[in-house]
Amino acid sequence: MEFLQPVAGWLALTLIPVVLLYLLKIQPKFAPVATFLFWQEAGAHHASRSLWQRFRRSISLLVSLLFVLLLVVAAMDPVARRDPSNHVLFVLDNSASMTTTDDSDTTRFSQAKHALLQQVSKLRHGQYGTFVATSGPEIAVAHTRHKGRLKAAIEQTTITATGHNNPDAALALAYALVPKGEQARAVIATDRTRDSVANLATDIETQWLQYGSEAGNVAIIHFSARRVPGDPEMFEGLAELANFSHNSVSLTLTTRLNEVPVDIRKITMTAGEEKTVLLRGRSERGGILTCELNMSESSKDCDAMTVDNKSQLKFNDLTTMKFLQSGRRDYFLEHLLASLPRSQVEVVSSLPQKIPEGEILFATGGVRGTVPQGDVVILSPDTDCNLFNLGEELEFPVVSDMNSESSFLANVTLRNHTLAGARKIEIKDVKDVRVTTLASTAEGDPLLIYFEGAGQRVFVVNANPSQGDFALRTAFPILLDNIIRCFHGDIDFAQGIVATDLPGREESDLRMTDAETVAGRAASKELAHETGNSTFTGNQLWSLLLFAAVALSLIEWHAWHRRLLE
């Protein structure tokens, strides 16, 4: 026998006032009578008794004391046997499938939280508790005796709709938090079967609280979109649907851009079918692209979970990139810039002091004097400027050293390649300008240089695309594309965008195989058997004690009124 709330034992002090009330003498009232004859005869039967005789014959007092003792013991919350573990692990499944209501009005998640809160209340004095949520997984509270902290963490836990739920990792993390040498017990509240989780410690007693049964579900398991490379105003969406039920279903799949419908499809799916739907729309504007499925009235019973019926992603606006070109004409550069979607190339004869924001200046042959403020790319420099001085042409401009970690050189391979037309460059020391050499020869002559500071970003390509085969290699367009990306972000209009707000195939599939169903029923029976003999039957004991106290009070009241007690 053990008490989960031993502090309540101080309530036993209430026995003292009960005894004092019985010892308290009542002051008699005086009243005139006609004769003492009859009063003397009645008083002979009630002669004064000793203190011990009063206690020995006062059954009513003993009954009252027993009633108070029963209440005190019930408040101390006794348990049938002692729990040998001194560390209890509470694991809560907060994945998307826990939002399912099954046949009840409450979700699996609400039932699981309520059960864990009850288990926390039954922690005995001196036990430690740890709470871990399966999403992430995340340690909410670790190694604490404070029941309030554990309950607050459980109550504040919410459903994580995205597919980042990992019960195996959560259990491994929870087991790792148990100090070496301590006995521990795990309480796991989930909708998964015991056999579906592989990471169960054999040396830790595990109490499996399983909620939910097999249910049908229709889900969006993948959603992505992109702009069409040949026609950037056109965008395409790809939605993968799955019918995780045993019946055929009919639904409506609607795609909206900023809440304006752009594609509506009527779809019928057989039991267990998966289908890929290509969605199309046209818009220069970006915004929130939404894909949502709505079940027909006859098929609503086949869709037990709704969090996977809608997916959203942020779609970029269709922008126009403007490039300025100065200096001598370069065939390769002009055609490369013209091939970019939604690009505008303007040839300028005189350079402004500042390049407008969002535009890039390509200066072929370099810039005489001061380089304009803003974003500038200098190809094949042949004149001095405020950033560097030029020397004679290099005899063997072979790339020997490269800064491969730089974003400018991502996917660019130039090592051991000759950059024809390169010249010696003497970099000037300009205040507040940081210089980075991204590629150089074995002698240390810079070939690719990046200047940043004083309101400008300048990339120098010390090579002539019209000489040699540099412009014919894939490294040349990739290098210029990297420069544009680093200056103004991602302008690849055809890049695919994938929604990340979906639970995933595993979470959306609420079906169970026959083996899983049998295992789940066996686990439920085993859990019921364990619960009946575990320390967590304390609530049953205090309720029995409370019932006994009330019954004893009723018996004493009846005996007193029947004059069976003095």
Side-chain angles (χ1 to χ4, degrees):
M1 177 73 70
E2 184 182 358
F3 299 98
L4 298 181
Q5 303 293 340
V7 180
W10 288 98
L11 295 176
L13 295 176
T14 56
L15 294 173
I16 297 176
V18 172
V19 175
L20 293 178
L21 288 174
Y22 268 82
L23 295 178
L24 184 66
K25 293 184 178 180
I26 301 176
Q27 184 67 29
K29 294 182 178 180
F30 294 94
V33 294
T35 178
F36 286 104
L37 179 63
F38 303 105
W39 287 103
Q40 291 176 350
E41 183 178 354
H45 297 285
H46 295 279
S48 63
R49 303 163 183 153
S50 65
L51 183 61
W52 166 248
Q53 288 176 330
R54 291 189 180 185
F55 274 107
R56 184 171 59 87
R57 307 185 65 177
S58 183
I59 300 178
S60 178
L61 173 60
L62 297 178
V63 171
S64 299
L65 294 177
L66 181 59
F67 173 79
V68 174
L69 284 175
L70 287 175
L71 293 181
V72 172
V73 175
M76 295 173 67
D77 200 359
V79 292
R81 65 177 177 88
R82 179 180 176 83
D83 186 358
S85 61
N86 52 8
H87 200 124
V88 182
L89 307 173
F90 300 97
V91 181
L92 176 61
D93 187 349
N94 61 332
S95 61
S97 61
M98 295 292 284
T99 60
T100 307
T101 56
D102 296 305
D103 297 330
S104 61
D105 295 333
T106 59
T107 63
R108 300 174 180 178
F109 188 63
S110 298
Q111 299 176 44
K113 287 177 69 173
H114 180 70
L116 283 189
L117 290 173
Q118 287 185 327
Q119 300 290 358
V120 171
S121 299
K122 298 170 185 176
L123 282 176
R124 63 177 174 83
H125 181 71
Q127 274 186 321
Y128 291 95
T130 295
F131 172 59
V132 179
T134 60
S135 178
E138 177 186 1
I139 304 172
V141 178
H143 209 262
T144 180
R145 294 177 179 175
H146 199 290
K147 295 182 182 180
R149 290 187 59 194
L150 288 169
K151 290 184 177 180
I154 293 174
E155 291 174 347
Q156 293 172 5
T157 304
T158 58
I159 290 289
T160 302
T162 55
H164 299 292
N165 182 63
N166 194 339
D168 291 338
L171 288 175
L173 180 60
Y175 295 154
L177 295 175
V178 179
K180 188 176 181 180
E182 282 193 3
Q183 281 191 298
R185 182 168 52 84
V187 181
I188 305 170
T190 179
D191 60 348
R192 300 182 62 176
T193 60
R194 184 190 293 260
D195 292 345
S196 64
V197 178
N199 197 10
L200 287 178
T202 56
D203 57 339
I204 294 181
E205 179 186 354
T206 303
Q207 198 168 12
W208 197 268
L209 307 178
Q210 181 183 347
Y211 297 90
S213 57
E214 180 176 358
N217 185 42
V218 182
I220 303 173
I221 57 177
H222 177 83
F223 178 51
S224 61
R226 69 167 190 170
R227 291 196 180 273
V228 180
D231 185 3
E233 293 186 4
M234 175 74 70
F235 64 86
E236 296 176 337
L238 186 68
E240 295 183 21
L241 312 180
N243 178 16
F244 299 117
S245 71
H246 300 294
N247 301 312
S248 298
V249 297
S250 58
L251 56 93
T252 302
L253 187 66
T254 305
T255 306
R256 297 182 179 88
L257 181 60
N258 297 326
E259 300 301 326
V260 178
V262 294
D263 195 299
I264 300 177
R265 305 285 183 90
K266 295 286 186 179
I267 299 174
T268 302
M269 302 178 67
T270 59
E273 181 184 3
E274 296 187 11
K275 182 174 292 188
T276 300
V277 182
L278 183 62
L279 312 168
R280 292 181 179 273
R282 179 178 291 275
S283 175
E284 293 187 5
R285 294 182 54 200
I288 303 299
L289 190 64
T290 305
C291 181
E292 183 177 9
L293 63 84
N294 295 286
M295 307 298 297
S296 63
E297 289 295 331
S298 59
S299 303
K300 284 187 175 180
D301 294 339
C302 299
D303 189 24
M305 190 167 69
T306 60
V307 296
D308 52 10
N309 290 357
K310 183 177 180 180
S311 179
Q312 292 182 324
L313 55 81
K314 179 68 170 61
F315 208 58
N316 295 330
D317 290 335
L318 187 59
T319 58
T320 299
M321 177 64 69
K322 187 174 181 180
F323 303 106
L324 303 178
Q325 185 178 357
S326 67
R328 63 175 181 267
R329 304 291 294 273
D330 188 281
Y331 174 84
F332 298 102
L333 177 63
E334 290 181 4
H335 283 74
L336 178 61
L337 297 180
S339 66
L340 296 176
R342 306 281 294 185
S343 64
Q344 293 181 359
V345 181
E346 180 183 352
V347 179
V348 295
S349 57
S350 60
L351 298 180
Q353 292 183 353
K354 183 177 181 180
I355 307 300
E357 186 177 356
E359 300 180 9
I360 300 177
L361 170 65
F362 284 85
T364 305
V367 177
R368 186 179 300 275
T370 303
V371 178
Q373 299 289 307
D375 298 326
V376 181
V377 179
I378 299 177
L379 287 170
S380 182
D382 57 9
T383 182
D384 298 338
C385 64
N386 65 313
L387 298 177
F388 55 84
N389 293 325
L390 288 177
E392 70 277 4
E393 187 172 337
L394 297 175
E395 186 175 358
F396 298 105
V398 180
V399 178
S400 177
D401 297 323
M402 283 185 58
N403 185 358
S404 301
E405 297 180 356
S406 173
S407 300
F408 289 103
L409 300 183
N411 303 316
V412 175
T413 302
L414 290 175
R415 189 170 281 109
N416 298 326
H417 180 69
T418 301
L419 298 185
R423 301 177 62 176
K424 278 188 173 292
I425 291 182
E426 180 184 352
I427 300 174
K428 296 181 180 180
D429 186 11
V430 182
K431 185 179 179 181
D432 298 331
V433 175
R434 185 172 66 256
V435 183
T436 304
T437 300
L438 301 176
S440 62
T441 64
E443 293 76 16
D445 294 312
L447 299 175
L448 299 178
I449 316 168
Y450 177 57
F451 298 85
E452 183 177 13
Q456 64 181 183
R457 292 181 293 183
V458 181
F459 195 97
V460 179
V461 180
N462 187 13
N464 190 344
S466 300
Q467 300 177 16
D469 62 349
F470 178 41
L472 301 178
R473 290 176 172 266
T474 57
F476 180 67
I478 294 176
L479 175 62
L480 293 185
D481 185 66
N482 289 344
I483 295 172
I484 296 173
R485 288 174 183 271
C486 292
F487 280 174
H488 293 290
D490 193 358
I491 63 167
D492 188 355
F493 304 119
Q495 182 187 19
I497 306 173
V498 180
T500 58
D501 58 342
L502 291 171
R505 182 188 301 272
E506 183 179 354
E507 284 297 317
S508 295
D509 191 355
L510 303 179
R511 298 172 299 180
M512 292 183 182
T513 63
D514 294 338
E516 288 176 333
T517 304
V518 172
R521 291 172 181 171
S524 300
K525 292 180 180 179
E526 182 182 353
L527 172 63
H529 177 72
E530 289 178 359
T531 305
N533 298 309
S534 68
T535 60
F536 292 92
T537 57
N539 283 347
Q540 298 177 1
L541 290 181
W542 73 255
S543 59
L544 291 176
L545 291 172
L546 184 61
F547 175 78
V550 174
L552 185 64
S553 177
L554 293 176
I555 293 173
E556 194 271 345
W557 176 84
H558 178 77
W560 177 268
H561 284 273
R562 291 288 183 178
R563 298 184 181 276
L564 301 177
L565 299 176
E566 295 184 5

